[in-house]
Amino acid sequence: GTMSEAELHVLKARLIGGLISKAQRGELKLPLPIGLIYDEEERVILDPDQQIQQSIRLFFATFQRTGSAWGTIRAYRQEGLKSPRGGQAGAGEVLWQELTEGTALDTLHNPRYAGAFCFGRTRTWRDTEGKIRIRQLPRSEWRFVKTQAHPGYITWEQFQRNRAILKAHGRPYDVAR
């Protein structure tokens, strides 16, 4: 029994090592936000659906114009615009819904929209009651960041500017909501 237990730890360490190695190369396949998909060669590309692309570009342009997440939400509501959301996982279903604060902030906080592959943005652990806890980490503690890993809707510099705007408005980028 002791040998089996030790072997399980070795196997787990190898699996984690392989995962980290793939992440370090930027090849780890992770779930993508709406507007990005994997092509046949497993490369990340912009969603070929032009309506989704235009909606995401409009979102970032509106944020640039209004200078705040709430300003973007107000503009969307005043103009009667809807925002794309992913439906059931893996189904390829797209739902068009009213833009919410959560969706706006998640989009603004997601470095994938800037064409970056990031790994280790959160820390996960099990607390004393057995509940799984997740905490957003500050940018300085992210494990791997590979900019220009794939096409994006904004540049890395624009992503950083958006981050600074959110922080100035009391919405720190690196703090969990």
Side-chain angles (χ1 to χ4, degrees), residues 1-78:
T2 303
M3 290 304 289
S4 294
E5 190 73 25
E7 195 171 322
L8 285 174
H9 285 290
V10 169
L11 286 173
K12 184 177 179 182
R14 284 185 182 162
L15 286 171
I16 291 171
L19 182 94
I20 290 172
S21 179
K22 269 190 141 177
Q24 197 168 20
R25 293 189 310 268
E27 297 172 0
L28 183 62
K29 190 174 176 184
L30 298 171
L32 296 171
I34 191 82
L36 296 170
I37 63 166
Y38 288 103
D39 68 7
E40 302 82 36
E41 286 95 38
E42 303 296 317
R43 293 176 303 190
V44 177
I45 61 170
L46 300 182
D47 192 316
D49 185 324
Q50 290 299 309
Q51 186 178 8
I52 291 173
Q53 280 191 35
Q54 289 172 357
S55 177
I56 293 169
R57 285 191 175 100
L58 176 64
F59 171 83
F60 284 111
T62 305
F63 178 77
Q64 193 67 35
R65 180 173 45 87
T66 63
S68 75
W70 270 110
T72 303
I73 293 166
R74 272 193 302 279
Y76 263 62
R77 288 181 181 166
Q78 287 171 353

Side-chain angles (χ1 to χ4, degrees), residues 89-101:
E93 181 182 348
V94 176
L95 305 172
W96 292 87
Q97 301 174 337
E98 187 173 277
L99 183 62
T100 64
E101 180 184 20

Side-chain angles (χ1 to χ4, degrees), residues 5 12 37 46 60 81-82 98 113 144 157 165-166 170:
E5 190 73 25
K12 184 177 179 182
I37 63 166
L46 300 182
F60 284 111
L81 299 173
K82 301 288 183 187
E98 187 173 277
Y113 287 113
F144 304 112
E157 292 74 25
I165 290 168
L166 291 171

Side-chain angles (χ1 to χ4, degrees), residues 112-131:
R112 293 308 293 251
Y113 287 113
F117 174 85
C118 299
F119 181 77
R121 292 174 50 204
T122 60
R123 176 97 6 98
T124 306
W125 73 95
R126 198 173 292 273
D127 68 12
T128 55
E129 290 130 27
K131 291 184 180 178

